[in-house]
Amino acid sequence: FTDVKTDFYPEDLRTQIDQWNDEEHKNLSSAVYRAYFAPERKFYEVTVTNIFNELDKIEKVLSNQRYLTGNKLTEADLRLFPTLVRFDAVYFLLFACSKKRIKDYYNISNYIR
């Protein structure tokens, strides 16, 4: 559509991007569904703990830099964004992932604005 050639998967950041993508998928975006459909309480509690550990890790990283891999928007940020935007309205309320809301995380809240 345009002549802009933005690279959201630059070669020098691919290892970091792939790591973020794997962790985000495993510990956050698919984890909220595993928590919601947990067959027993113990599985739910472990999964929710992992979700909030991942959010705490993201919060800490974003306290020192604008994006997950530094100062450049990458595929990792673009993949994380939809999960964060849906979190308070869907995962916190409906899926009972309710330890904290995204709006309670200062750096993550700024990140998604």
Side-chain angles (χ1 to χ4, degrees), residues 96-108:
C97 296
S98 52
K99 286 185 178 181
K100 286 174 81 174
R101 298 165 297 180
I102 294 301
K103 75 180 202 172
D104 298 325
Y105 288 96
Y106 177 79
N107 296 303
I108 296 174

Side-chain angles (χ1 to χ4, degrees), residues 49-62:
T49 297
N50 291 340
I51 290 167
F52 286 94
N53 287 343
E54 185 70 13
L55 287 171
D56 291 342
K57 182 175 106 178
I58 293 166
E59 176 72 3
K60 184 176 179 181
V61 166
L62 295 176

Side-chain angles (χ1 to χ4, degrees), residues 8-102:
F8 295 110
Y9 194 61
E11 195 159 338
D12 62 320
L13 296 175
R14 287 183 182 173
T15 301
Q16 287 181 20
I17 293 167
D18 290 344
Q19 183 177 352
W20 275 112
N21 287 343
D22 289 345
E23 291 175 13
E24 184 274 333
H25 178 75
K26 181 177 111 184
N27 298 322
L28 194 55
S29 65
S30 69
V32 293
Y33 291 92
R34 287 194 311 277
Y36 183 69
F37 292 110
E40 55 190 57
R41 183 74 184 174
K42 183 176 178 166
F43 184 81
Y44 163 83
E45 290 172 357
V46 168
T47 304
V48 168
T49 297
N50 291 340
I51 290 167
F52 286 94
N53 287 343
E54 185 70 13
L55 287 171
D56 291 342
K57 182 175 106 178
I58 293 166
E59 176 72 3
K60 184 176 179 181
V61 166
L62 295 176
S63 73
N64 296 312
Q65 58 197 43
R66 178 68 181 127
Y67 300 106
L68 294 175
T69 60
N71 64 353
K72 186 174 185 176
L73 181 69
T74 67
E75 178 188 307
D77 301 291
L78 298 173
R79 290 182 65 171
L80 176 61
F81 184 79
T83 300
L84 296 177
V85 169
R86 288 190 291 246
F87 197 90
D88 289 358
V90 179
Y91 308 133
F92 181 85
L93 292 174
L94 300 176
F95 284 29
C97 296
S98 52
K99 286 185 178 181
K100 286 174 81 174
R101 298 165 297 180
I102 294 301

